[in-house]
Amino acid sequence: MRLSLDSTFYLGRTERKMAVKRCRTTTICCLPEDCLANVFALTTPKDVCRFSAVASTFRSAADSDGVWERFLPSDYRDIISRSIDGPDSLLRQVQSKKDLYLRLSDHPIIIDSGLKSFKLDKGSGKKCYMLPARDLYIVWGDKRRYWLWASHTKTSFSDVAQLRNVCWFEIVCSINTNMLSFDTNYAAYLVFKIKSGRYEFYNQPAEVCGGIKGLEVEKDSFYLENNTELLKLREDGWMEVELGEYFVKGGEDDTEMSLLEMKGLRSKSDLVIQGVEIRPKECT
């Protein structure tokens, strides 16, 4: 016998809860698939994956192209077209928009002639970029006496920057905020390795700053030591340290983040720089 919500008044407390739950589940499951898809598209990728596991009737709607198209960036076709492997190479590897989303989340693509890598934050669908060392401004980076450029097996970029010996250390990255997801708090992270463990940054404060180019920027300083909470080991085996953060509203000019170490003038060496990753801070 099917119960209405009114009839549950005459049941015990536990029985009422179970009856209401069954009634609500039945009502939701009876919705048309396109209606379910519209509801799911208003949530998040993580939520949709949960819905898919709740009931078999949800799975088709949760996996539909209409849902996952909403989670992909509006300009994803343009971004894919800039892949160094060509857009067809990626599209041949996927069979649905959900496959494409997961592919872009798990496997960054190299774009813009090798000067950037692009991926999606898996939980939110926000854009993430990595700028390789070649796309950074590195003081004396073109002087072989101070820096070497060499290939590295643990990166998809053509080469990395290896610090030989400098007293003045300065690295600056810049990105147009219109490339990023709007209404999102982003942070920039220097991705690096220490070649020999004696890179002479100990007890020397490094200064970081970030903000809109040409305007006043926020500054902070820290000690680039192995025991600091700012340094983190990444899943790919590289280290990272946050350079700064910025909330992207949309429509701004270039945002510039920098790492400056100019206060201690002792020689420094054996730092290997892969690049700077720019990703949503709330999704780390």
Side-chain angles (χ1 to χ4, degrees):
M1 176 177 175
R2 187 169 182 177
L3 297 173
S4 67
L5 285 174
D6 292 337
S7 66
T8 61
F9 177 80
Y10 300 100
L11 300 176
R13 183 176 180 181
T14 302
E15 293 170 315
R16 286 204 305 272
K17 288 183 177 180
M18 294 178 64
V20 170
K21 183 177 181 180
R22 285 196 299 271
C23 183
R24 288 174 176 170
T25 302
T26 301
T27 303
I28 294 173
C29 291
C30 289
L31 290 174
E33 182 178 313
D34 59 343
C35 184
L36 284 173
N38 287 333
V39 172
F40 293 164
L42 298 175
T43 62
T44 67
K46 188 179 295 185
D47 289 333
V48 170
C49 290
R50 293 192 184 109
F51 296 147
S52 181
V54 168
S56 58
T57 52
F58 289 172
R59 193 165 299 123
S60 179
D63 290 346
S64 67
D65 279 353
V67 170
W68 291 92
E69 178 86 20
R70 294 278 294 271
F71 296 146
L72 290 165
S74 59
D75 58 346
Y76 77 89
R77 292 183 180 86
D78 172 66
I79 295 172
I80 291 175
S81 71
R82 290 147 50 195
S83 169
I84 61 173
D85 296 325
D88 294 339
S89 175
L90 175 60
L91 295 178
R92 282 195 298 266
Q93 301 175 45
V94 299
Q95 298 182 349
S96 67
K97 292 296 192 299
K98 180 180 180 181
D99 288 344
L100 178 59
Y101 181 95
L102 295 177
R103 180 75 183 180
L104 289 173
S105 300
D106 296 331
H107 304 282
I109 59 173
I110 305 299
I111 62 173
D112 296 346
S113 302
L115 291 181
K116 295 181 188 69
S117 74
F118 170 82
K119 65 176 292 186
L120 296 177
D121 178 83
K122 199 167 191 174
S124 67
K126 304 286 188 178
K127 301 177 186 177
C128 307
Y129 288 94
M130 169 83 86
L131 308 181
R134 283 287 185 189
D135 202 34
L136 306 177
Y137 170 73
I138 302 176
V139 171
W140 297 326
D142 58 343
K143 306 296 184 183
R144 188 174 177 83
R145 174 182 174 183
Y146 305 112
W147 292 86
L148 289 177
W149 294 88
S151 60
H152 198 287
T153 58
K154 297 297 183 179
T155 179
S156 300
F157 297 118
S158 59
D159 51 15
V160 297
Q162 180 179 322
L163 176 59
R164 299 188 72 181
N165 194 298
V166 296
C167 293
W168 185 293
F169 181 86
E170 181 176 355
I171 294 176
V172 179
C173 75
S174 180
I175 187 169
N176 191 314
T177 54
N178 287 321
M179 296 171 53
L180 305 174
S181 300
F182 295 165
D183 298 320
T184 304
N185 192 40
Y186 274 90
Y189 301 84
L190 180 70
V191 181
F192 66 97
K193 282 181 177 288
I194 300 167
K195 187 176 180 182
S196 67
R198 297 184 61 187
Y199 61 120
E200 299 300 335
F201 280 94
Y202 293 103
N203 299 318
Q204 299 188 71
E207 182 180 89
V208 296
C209 59
I212 296 297
K213 186 183 295 183
L215 300 179
E216 184 177 353
V217 297
E218 295 184 4
K219 295 184 178 182
D220 196 5
S221 62
F222 59 88
Y223 290 86
L224 202 60
E225 300 180 45
N226 287 332
N227 62 354
T228 180
E229 294 182 359
L230 295 174
L231 286 179
K232 295 182 179 179
L233 179 65
R234 296 160 52 95
E235 292 182 358
D236 57 10
W238 291 77
M239 300 290 294
E240 70 176 27
V241 62
E242 182 181 323
L243 299 181
E245 62 180 278
Y246 184 77
F247 185 80
V248 178
K249 296 179 181 178
E252 299 100 330
D253 297 323
D254 290 357
T255 291
E256 189 171 276
M257 303 288 183
S258 62
L259 172 63
L260 315 171
E261 197 292 300
M262 298 178 291
K263 294 180 172 63
L265 296 181
R266 289 183 296 177
S267 63
K268 290 161 279 289
S269 62
D270 290 341
L271 196 67
V272 180
I273 297 174
Q274 179 181 177
V276 172
E277 184 174 48
I278 300 170
R279 65 176 189 259
K281 186 169 185 179
E282 65 268 26
C283 301
T284 56

